[in-house]
Amino acid sequence: MGASTDSDATETERGPGRPREPAVDRRILDAALRLMAQSGYVRMTMDQVAALADVTKATIYRRYPSKIQLALAAIASYCDQAPPVYTGDTRSDLIAQMENFRHGLDRPHGMAMLGTVLAEEHATPELLARFREYLVAPRRTAIRVLLERACNRAELHPNADLELAENMLVGSYYAHYLAGYPFPADWATRVVDAVLAGIKA
Amino acid sequence: MGASTDSDATETERGPGRPREPAVDRRILDAALRLMAQSGYVRMTMDQVAALADVTKATIYRRYPSKIQLALAAIASYCDQAPPVYTGDTRSDLIAQMENFRHGLDRPHGMAMLGTVLAEEHATPELLARFREYLVAPRRTAIRVLLERACNRAELHPNADLELAENMLVGSYYAHYLAGYPFPADWATRVVDAVLAGIKA
Amino acid sequence: MGASTDSDATETERGPGRPREPAVDRRILDAALRLMAQSGYVRMTMDQVAALADVTKATIYRRYPSKIQLALAAIASYCDQAPPVYTGDTRSDLIAQMENFRHGLDRPHGMAMLGTVLAEEHATPELLARFREYLVAPRRTAIRVLLERACNRAELHPNADLELAENMLVGSYYAHYLAGYPFPADWATRVVDAVLAGIKA
Amino acid sequence: MGASTDSDATETERGPGRPREPAVDRRILDAALRLMAQSGYVRMTMDQVAALADVTKATIYRRYPSKIQLALAAIASYCDQAPPVYTGDTRSDLIAQMENFRHGLDRPHGMAMLGTVLAEEHATPELLARFREYLVAPRRTAIRVLLERACNRAELHPNADLELAENMLVGSYYAHYLAGYPFPADWATRVVDAVLAGIKA
DNA sequence: TATTAATCGAGACGGTACGTCCGGTCTTCCA
DNA sequence: TGGAAGACCGGACGTACCGTCTCGATTAATA
């Protein structure tokens, strides 16, 4: 993700004055990440983050305007991991993508973090927007790409509602989690097969 | 929902001492409900609830050990509403059920409340349990009943995974909401048709 | 001291209805006394008193209109002990009286209780009045009697200000205590001698 | 008096971090003082103090760990006033000193405050200690100085117990107050004369 | 080299809510 | 009527945490 005031972080375009210590950036995000994994967003305290990162609160707030933004940045920084490589086969690529998606939420407090963003929705609307932009959208796009490729190959029904298919794929996880059911090992496979059954050519 | 210590509330089985004023119970829940609808869980204050219910905070805390528990009780008390009647036709019954489900979450702060419960998951695990028991389970059961009826009528594929079908139906809402897409008027219809397409006989 | 509503406690003059259980009276006062000795007036709680006396708060409040009144009654009940007998010698009688006075305040929380009454002075003025009536006045009268007897025997200066002498005798304890000095064994003797030195004939 | 952790307040010896606003210190003490004069310690509320001082409760609690400590500090800050100047004459200097002492306690809630400190004695022992140090000791020392000067001038009996004389002087006030007698205008004079009568050379 | 402007550590401060405690009253039932 | 049990009001207490602000010390680019 990125800093607060500055533009895109990669383009340093230095002004005068002492530059920010890059090590501090990492220490803050790591501390936030660790605390959220341990205790969740609600129990995490800015003072705790500051102490663990060996930094003062002011230093944090110079980078992120609020606790929730820090949390979001921390998560985003963590989620920048390599997506699964494509084999070319629609079904197995989708399954791999869904496994990836599931692992992103399976770690401790994964859904709790999502809940926090939702809870904060009305207080900080742009937060949900960033959440969508950095976390939701990339994954959905990856799935969409696979579905459209399959559509172009005529593997799917020409009138298939791809957006709806996406929702069913991704949403199955949420519903399953909320219902409290345990996740079977072949969960991704079953979901993908079920959805494909409804839209295949 | 119900009182704190006692069992099921319907069975009053009076002990000694002054009984709790039933009017107070309602006033508290109504106040909480109203405030949450207006401002959401986060902005709602226990003092506000107390003031609006014309009650002291101690009286609230005698019933609910924390703010979040009060919120849950309030929601549960609200959601005891009549489910749609069945026509006998699987497709239209499912659509009606999905419309009902959607309306339950469409009201202001509906998803925000769900988010709150998720956010609190690790701090208060039994909260999510009650949420499932009182809010999630009843709706899923209603859907399950329809699906099983259809299965018995041989309208569905004999090996259809009904639980997965449920997840796709319900989960579509969550995914759609999270993606930030606007909900079309015929949303329920499209979802039901898509799912049925995958499992019909 | 006595009960609240009724007249003088010895005169029972029964009205209709169930008579008060006399054992309860003692249990309440004993409980209050014990708790005050342990933790002092401030830390003593009406619920604690009720629990220790195996009685409900209502039962206590039927007897004493407030916590402070209960405390006062408890102390008064305790202080009904035999005063020292007179030998006829002014000096030794005064010393005995002062020893008695000192012992009344020396027990744990003795001065703390006095402090409580003073602290409550403006909130409950009549409390200090009762305190004077039941605890202060009797002791001062005893001293006064001795001084007047000595005056009549011409042992004292005819113009001696006896009230002031009383104040110096009794007040020495308060001042000594407030100063934080330890009390020597012959404290009473020294005080009496010093005062008598100023007013003897 | 002074801050909480630091030593003597006169020696500022700045540590790191933002220094405490001195104006806040005064505003808090003034507010406490004013409220105590109006309503006494018991009726004074921390929220009231905070509101009147235009400060938050946390700011108060950062300086004083409890309500009672705040009260004590407030009083101590008030009592730093010029003592009466000496004329050189023992009797008139003592009288002036006693008048001063009396005026310190005569103001509304003066004795009530003393009572509060005594009442809290066992709960917060160091409170009484500070009370002695800041309020009791200075006055007693002033008296003691006068007595010793008189002793050195051979105005007093060489074996006179000066400490006891102090106790009689100061204690007379307490005893008089507790007895509920009204204070005559020449009270100080009479007390000083009576005590001096017992110890003069 | 001196100046300038930003960073960082440390901690005070405002604001706001939370959950607890306690004194005192009232209501219900039982004896 | 007395007493047990406990709900309820009113009000205060002390704590927690977020986000801002004010100091002082430091560090790099610039003039």
Side-chain angles (χ1 to χ4, degrees):
Chain A
M1 207 173 140
S4 51
T5 344
D6 346 2
S7 45
D8 260 358
T10 51
E11 200 61 53
T12 341
E13 59 161 307
R14 289 273 306 281
R18 175 175 173 182
R20 286 194 185 160
E21 223 151 323
V24 167
D25 288 41
R26 272 254 54 84
R27 288 214 309 271
I28 291 176
L29 291 180
D30 286 349
L33 228 32
R34 189 161 167 183
L35 286 171
M36 288 181 60
Q38 274 176 21
S39 353
Y41 171 82
V42 188
R43 307 288 170 198
M44 176 182 81
T45 291
M46 292 306 264
D47 291 86
Q48 281 176 7
V49 177
L52 188 55
D54 205 35
V55 146
T56 49
K57 275 198 297 178
T59 304
I60 302 179
Y61 277 103
R62 202 172 295 116
R63 290 164 165 76
Y64 310 101
S66 69
K67 176 186 175 183
I68 191 79
Q69 303 268 7
L70 163 63
L72 203 47
I75 293 182
S77 85
Y78 181 64
C79 291
D80 294 338
Q81 40 188 20
V85 282
Y86 296 140
T87 66
D89 177 52
T90 297
R91 181 172 172 274
S92 51
D93 280 354
L94 273 176
I95 291 175
Q97 197 60 249
M98 290 305 290
E99 296 273 17
N100 183 39
F101 169 77
R102 177 186 159 192
H103 277 71
L105 288 171
D106 256 357
R107 69 166 171 285
H109 301 279
M111 283 296 278
M113 188 60 215
L114 196 166
T116 301
V117 172
L118 283 176
E120 218 77 1
E121 180 182 358
H122 293 86
T124 320
E126 38 108 34
L127 182 69
L128 184 52
R130 296 178 77 101
F131 188 79
R132 281 171 180 147
E133 182 181 359
Y134 288 103
L135 296 176
V136 178
R139 279 164 181 74
R140 297 204 47 137
T141 305
I143 296 177
R144 172 66 69 103
V145 165
L146 293 177
L147 289 178
E148 284 179 343
R149 193 187 62 182
C151 208
N152 291 339
R153 290 179 187 168
E155 295 172 10
L156 302 185
H157 193 283
N159 292 76
D161 186 339
L162 299 189
E163 183 183 306
L164 187 50
E166 270 175 60
N167 287 337
M168 292 195 294
L169 285 169
V170 174
S172 290
Y173 182 88
Y174 302 135
H176 199 114
Y177 186 92
L178 265 183
Y181 301 149
F183 279 87
D186 62 342
W187 173 81
T189 305
R190 288 160 69 174
V191 172
V192 168
D193 283 342
V195 170
L196 285 183
I199 60 174
K200 69 186 168 202
Chain B
M1 212 169 140
S4 50
T5 344
D6 352 357
S7 45
D8 259 358
T10 50
E11 200 62 52
T12 339
E13 58 160 306
R14 285 273 306 283
R18 175 175 174 179
R20 288 194 184 160
E21 218 146 332
V24 167
D25 288 39
R26 273 254 56 83
R27 289 212 311 268
I28 291 176
L29 290 180
D30 285 349
L33 227 33
R34 191 162 164 184
L35 287 170
M36 287 180 61
Q38 275 177 20
S39 354
Y41 171 80
V42 189
R43 307 286 172 200
M44 176 183 81
T45 290
M46 293 305 264
D47 290 270
Q48 282 177 7
V49 177
L52 189 55
D54 204 34
V55 147
T56 37
K57 271 198 296 179
T59 302
I60 303 180
Y61 278 104
R62 197 173 302 115
R63 289 166 165 75
Y64 312 100
S66 68
K67 178 183 174 184
I68 189 76
Q69 301 269 7
L70 163 64
L72 189 52
I75 292 182
S77 83
Y78 180 64
C79 290
D80 297 336
Q81 42 188 19
V85 283
Y86 297 142
T87 66
D89 178 52
T90 298
R91 179 172 174 274
S92 51
D93 280 354
L94 273 176
I95 291 174
Q97 196 61 250
M98 289 305 291
E99 296 273 18
N100 182 39
F101 169 77
R102 178 185 159 194
H103 277 70
L105 288 170
D106 257 357
R107 70 166 171 282
H109 302 280
M111 283 295 279
M113 189 60 217
L114 197 166
T116 301
V117 172
L118 283 175
E120 216 76 4
E121 179 181 358
H122 294 86
T124 320
E126 38 110 30
L127 184 68
L128 184 52
R130 296 180 80 98
F131 187 80
R132 281 173 180 144
E133 181 181 358
Y134 288 102
L135 296 176
V136 177
R139 279 164 180 73
R140 297 205 49 136
T141 305
I143 296 177
R144 172 66 67 103
V145 165
L146 293 177
L147 289 177
E148 284 178 344
R149 194 186 60 183
C151 209
N152 291 339
R153 289 178 187 167
E155 295 173 10
L156 302 184
H157 194 283
N159 292 73
D161 187 339
L162 299 190
E163 183 183 306
L164 187 52
E166 268 175 61
N167 286 337
M168 291 194 295
L169 285 169
V170 174
S172 290
Y173 182 88
Y174 303 135
H176 199 115
Y177 186 94
L178 264 183
Y181 301 150
F183 280 87
D186 62 342
W187 173 81
T189 305
R190 288 161 68 176
V191 173
V192 168
D193 283 341
V195 170
L196 284 184
I199 58 174
K200 69 186 167 200
Chain C
M1 206 171 142
S4 52
T5 345
D6 349 0
S7 45
D8 259 359
T10 50
E11 200 61 54
T12 340
E13 59 159 307
R14 289 272 306 281
R18 174 174 172 182
R20 285 194 186 162
E21 223 152 322
V24 168
D25 289 41
R26 272 255 55 85
R27 289 214 309 272
I28 292 176
L29 291 180
D30 285 349
L33 227 32
R34 188 162 168 183
L35 286 170
M36 288 180 58
Q38 273 176 21
S39 352
Y41 171 82
V42 187
R43 307 289 170 198
M44 176 183 81
T45 292
M46 292 306 264
D47 291 87
Q48 282 177 8
V49 177
L52 188 56
D54 205 34
V55 145
T56 49
K57 274 199 296 178
T59 303
I60 302 180
Y61 277 103
R62 202 171 294 115
R63 288 165 166 76
Y64 310 100
S66 69
K67 177 186 176 185
I68 191 80
Q69 302 269 6
L70 163 64
L72 203 47
I75 292 181
S77 83
Y78 181 64
C79 291
D80 294 339
Q81 39 189 19
V85 282
Y86 296 141
T87 67
D89 178 54
T90 298
R91 181 170 174 273
S92 52
D93 280 354
L94 273 176
I95 291 175
Q97 197 60 252
M98 289 305 291
E99 295 275 16
N100 183 38
F101 168 77
R102 177 184 159 193
H103 277 70
L105 287 171
D106 257 355
R107 68 165 172 282
H109 300 280
M111 283 296 279
M113 188 59 216
L114 195 166
T116 302
V117 172
L118 283 175
E120 217 76 4
E121 180 182 356
H122 293 86
T124 319
E126 39 110 32
L127 182 68
L128 184 52
R130 297 177 77 101
F131 187 79
R132 281 172 181 146
E133 181 181 358
Y134 288 102
L135 295 176
V136 177
R139 280 166 181 72
R140 296 202 50 133
T141 305
I143 295 176
R144 171 67 67 103
V145 164
L146 294 177
L147 290 177
E148 284 177 343
R149 193 188 60 184
C151 210
N152 290 337
R153 289 181 188 167
E155 296 171 11
L156 303 185
H157 193 284
N159 291 74
D161 187 338
L162 299 189
E163 183 183 306
L164 186 51
E166 269 177 59
N167 287 337
M168 291 195 293
L169 285 169
V170 174
S172 289
Y173 183 88
Y174 303 136
H176 200 116
Y177 186 92
L178 266 183
Y181 300 149
F183 279 88
D186 61 343
W187 174 82
T189 304
R190 288 161 68 175
V191 172
V192 168
D193 283 341
V195 170
L196 285 184
I199 58 174
K200 68 188 167 199
Chain D
M1 207 170 138
S4 50
T5 343
D6 353 357
S7 45
D8 261 357
T10 50
E11 200 61 51
T12 340
E13 57 161 307
R14 285 272 307 284
R18 175 175 175 181
R20 289 197 182 156
E21 217 145 332
V24 167
D25 288 41
R26 273 254 55 84
R27 288 213 310 269
I28 291 177
L29 291 180
D30 285 349
L33 226 34
R34 191 163 165 182
L35 287 170
M36 287 181 60
Q38 274 177 21
S39 354
Y41 171 80
V42 188
R43 307 287 171 201
M44 175 182 81
T45 290
M46 292 305 265
D47 290 87
Q48 281 177 8
V49 177
L52 189 55
D54 205 34
V55 146
T56 41
K57 270 198 296 179
T59 301
I60 303 180
Y61 278 104
R62 199 172 300 114
R63 288 165 166 76
Y64 311 100
S66 68
K67 179 184 173 186
I68 189 76
Q69 301 267 6
L70 164 63
L72 189 52
I75 292 181
S77 83
Y78 179 64
C79 291
D80 297 337
Q81 42 188 18
V85 281
Y86 297 140
T87 66
D89 177 53
T90 298
R91 181 171 173 275
S92 51
D93 281 353
L94 274 176
I95 291 175
Q97 197 61 250
M98 290 306 291
E99 296 274 17
N100 183 39
F101 168 78
R102 178 184 159 194
H103 277 70
L105 288 171
D106 256 357
R107 67 168 173 281
H109 302 278
M111 283 294 279
M113 190 59 218
L114 196 166
T116 303
V117 171
L118 283 176
E120 216 76 4
E121 179 182 358
H122 294 86
T124 320
E126 37 110 32
L127 184 67
L128 184 51
R130 297 178 80 98
F131 188 78
R132 282 173 179 146
E133 181 180 359
Y134 288 103
L135 296 176
V136 177
R139 279 164 181 72
R140 297 203 50 134
T141 305
I143 295 176
R144 172 67 67 105
V145 164
L146 294 177
L147 290 178
E148 285 178 342
R149 193 187 59 183
C151 209
N152 291 337
R153 291 180 187 167
E155 296 172 10
L156 302 185
H157 192 282
N159 292 75
D161 187 339
L162 300 189
E163 184 184 303
L164 186 51
E166 269 176 61
N167 287 336
M168 292 193 294
L169 284 169
V170 174
S172 290
Y173 182 89
Y174 303 134
H176 199 116
Y177 187 93
L178 266 182
Y181 300 150
F183 279 87
D186 62 343
W187 173 82
T189 304
R190 288 161 67 175
V191 173
V192 168
D193 283 341
V195 171
L196 285 184
I199 59 176
K200 68 186 167 199

